[in-house]
Amino acid sequence: MAAGLLQASIKNRGIVLDPRTKFLLLITMSIFVLGGAGGGMAGRLMPVFCAMPAIALLSAKKFKQAATYVSLYCLSGLAVYFLGGRIHGFLNFLIMGICGILLRFLPCLMMGSYLVSTTTVSEFTAAMLRMHLSEKIIIPLSVMFRFFPTVVDEFHSINIAMKMRGIQFGGVGIAKMIEYRLVPLMTCCVKIGEELSAAALTRGLGGEVKRTNICKIGFHIQDYIVTALCLVPYALLILQFFGVLA
């Protein structure tokens, strides 16, 4: 069976990073790219962080996603650079708003996609246990970690099934088309949630005995490099807070 759209696989992962490193990179991008924290010196590192999802996706041989990300990001940047201040009114608000959202959200979304599609549940659970987090946090996160990719895969399958039955634009009304997709998807969501919860318990989560893992995780040279890169904007932000840097 082919892998799902966001289903994690240990094949073709490219640069192998520890799950904790991926989370640190995602959190750092959320704070400084999406949130725009720091500014000034920290803002100069934003192109580097925005390029990280493209590099990670290319290393994992996800060429279509990488090309889509680079194209959308570059087009949004060019639109802001060339059209900013040259158009006015509602059109300016619409274009600048869409481009601004893409420039802020897209890098984090693609980094999140890379994190989910290259990290198995076992690796995620092992990383969380290494961080000594409570199982009250690990179990819901483990379930949600695979819930959304599974739902996306099911929605893709439902769309294919509906197209085979001729249920699409022009074939039936919009209300019917939405109904024939949403009702099966809602049923699948409930069933997937129950199955993933049972799977989490089957894997030993929530038991009294300490859970063991057969997957190997740990920090390597690439993890130290990415971690050092992530710590730079935090250090700059702290120095700016204490007035060391203007």
Side-chain angles (χ1 to χ4, degrees):
M1 183 179 292
L5 297 179
L6 288 175
Q7 294 293 344
S9 173
I10 60 175
K11 298 180 180 179
N12 297 328
R13 292 200 290 184
I15 302 174
V16 180
L17 296 174
D18 188 271
R20 291 164 288 182
T21 305
K22 298 176 188 177
F23 272 104
L24 176 61
L25 182 57
L26 179 60
I27 292 172
T28 302
M29 292 180 62
S30 300
I31 294 174
F32 293 96
V33 178
L34 177 60
M41 297 288 292
R44 298 177 184 177
L45 292 172
M46 292 310 100
V48 177
F49 284 107
C50 292
M52 291 296 293
I55 296 173
L57 291 171
L58 286 174
S59 70
K61 297 184 180 180
K62 299 181 182 297
F63 303 113
K64 184 177 180 181
Q65 293 184 27
T68 303
Y69 167 65
V70 172
S71 300
L72 288 175
Y73 191 86
C74 291
L75 287 175
S76 300
L78 291 173
V80 172
Y81 181 79
F82 287 105
L83 298 180
R86 290 183 172 86
I87 54 178
H88 305 281
F90 177 75
L91 183 61
N92 176 71
F93 173 79
L94 181 64
I95 294 177
M96 293 300 105
I98 294 175
C99 292
I101 291 174
L102 287 176
L103 291 174
R104 293 283 186 179
F105 281 86
L106 197 57
C108 299
L109 289 176
M110 298 310 296
M111 195 65 227
S113 172
Y114 170 76
L115 166 66
V116 172
S117 62
T118 58
T119 306
T120 64
V121 176
S122 296
E123 291 173 337
F124 171 78
T125 305
M128 296 298 102
L129 290 174
R130 290 277 184 91
M131 297 171 64
H132 302 288
L133 292 180
S134 172
E135 290 193 348
K136 295 179 181 179
I137 299 176
I138 297 176
I139 294 175
L141 287 179
S142 298
V143 173
M144 297 303 296
F145 200 73
R146 291 267 62 88
F147 177 77
F148 290 110
T150 308
V151 169
V152 171
D153 193 30
E154 287 291 336
F155 184 67
H156 181 66
S157 300
I158 290 172
N159 281 336
I160 294 176
M162 293 301 105
K163 287 181 181 179
M164 292 175 61
R165 289 166 173 78
I167 302 174
Q168 53 188 344
F169 284 108
V172 297
I174 296 179
K176 287 289 184 181
M177 190 186 67
I178 295 175
E179 177 186 351
Y180 291 152
R181 281 168 169 78
L182 284 184
V183 173
L185 182 62
M186 292 172 63
T187 304
C188 288
C189 288
V190 175
K191 188 175 180 180
I192 289 169
E194 294 176 352
E195 291 177 350
L196 289 176
S197 299
L201 296 176
T202 304
R203 288 173 177 267
L205 293 175
E208 297 179 358
V209 181
K210 184 178 180 181
R211 183 180 184 272
T212 59
N213 294 281
I214 61 173
C215 63
K216 295 182 179 179
I217 63 171
F219 291 99
H220 301 86
I221 182 63
Q222 61 268 25
D223 293 288
Y224 292 114
I225 294 174
V226 174
T227 301
L229 178 64
C230 292
L231 293 178
V232 171
Y234 292 104
L236 294 175
L237 185 62
I238 293 173
L239 291 176
Q240 287 179 1
F241 178 78
F242 287 102
V244 178
L245 295 176

